[in-house]
Structure formats: C-alpha cells, structure tokens
Amino acid sequence: MYAIIQTGGKQYKVSVGDEIFVEKLDVQAEDEITINEVVAVSADGESIKVGAPFVDGASVSAKVVKNGKAKKVVVFTYKPKKNAKRKMGHRQPYTKLQITAINA
C-alpha cells in the first residue's frame, strides 16, 4: 500500500514506515499530524485511485520525528575583471516525518 501526498508544494510517494524530509511545518517534535492532500492512493499495489485534485476521504497519518536544518549550501558569485565577488550560505529548514498509517 502506498500513497502520493502533497505538502510544501512538492509531491512524495510514501508507504507505512517511511521517513521523509518535507518543507518545515509548524509542529513540534513527537506530534501526530494528518495530511489530507492525498493525490493518489493504491491499496493493493496494482489498482490506483487518483483524485481531482485530491482523493476524497483519504488521509495519511504521520509522526514528527524532528525539525532541523539541512547542510549548508555555499553560493559564490563573482564578476570577472571587476573585483566583485560575494559568498553566501543557506541552510534549508526541514521537518522529518515518519509515516504511521494510510487511510484510504
């Protein structure tokens, strides 16, 4: 059994027991959340039910493992022969989820 969910403007294929990193959500660690934006769900692995845009009555339950930041990405820009350069860094915040149930 798997489902395709949408959160943070991205879509993820999830099964029970999967751990995924999503865009930061406004929740605390160890909380239970329910994602109602289920794009598609497959109960037996062969047939699939696709929503328009979401499947009615389907949801995915997940437990928040932790909130954190990804590794730093260094962005370096320069203009040759002009002595112009700039170095910046960015750490993307994320929420780590563990999928506990898929309710079709």
Side-chain angles (χ1 to χ4, degrees), residues 10 14 19-20 22 25 42 51-52 56 62 64 72 79 85 91 96 99 101-102:
K10 299 175 183 68
V14 296
E19 289 188 345
I20 60 172
V22 299
L25 302 172
S42 175
D56 292 332
V64 177
K72 183 175 276 192
K79 295 185 179 178
K85 52 192 167 201
R91 293 184 69 187
K96 185 176 182 181
I99 307 300
I102 296 174

Side-chain angles (χ1 to χ4, degrees), residues 80-93:
K81 301 179 208 154
K82 302 295 182 196
N83 196 20
K85 52 192 167 201
R86 182 173 64 172
K87 182 178 178 182
M88 298 180 298
H90 175 73
R91 293 184 69 187
Q92 184 70 29

Side-chain angles (χ1 to χ4, degrees), residues 7-8 21-28 67-69 92-96:
T7 180
F21 294 92
V22 299
E23 294 289 324
K24 186 171 188 219
L25 302 172
D26 190 23
V27 291
Q28 299 295 322
N67 291 315
K69 288 185 178 179
Q92 184 70 29
Y94 67 84
T95 300
K96 185 176 182 181

Side-chain angles (χ1 to χ4, degrees), residues 27-86:
V27 291
Q28 299 295 322
E30 303 300 322
D31 284 353
E32 282 285 329
I33 65 167
T34 302
I35 300 170
N36 295 322
E37 296 183 345
V38 179
V39 178
V41 65
S42 175
D44 57 2
E46 294 178 7
S47 63
I48 188 166
K49 185 175 182 183
V50 179
F54 303 118
V55 179
D56 292 332
S59 64
V60 173
S61 299
K63 183 179 124 184
V64 177
V65 177
K66 70 174 185 174
N67 291 315
K69 288 185 178 179
K71 290 190 175 186
K72 183 175 276 192
V73 176
V74 176
V75 180
F76 184 78
T77 61
Y78 75 101
K79 295 185 179 178
K81 301 179 208 154
K82 302 295 182 196
N83 196 20
K85 52 192 167 201
R86 182 173 64 172

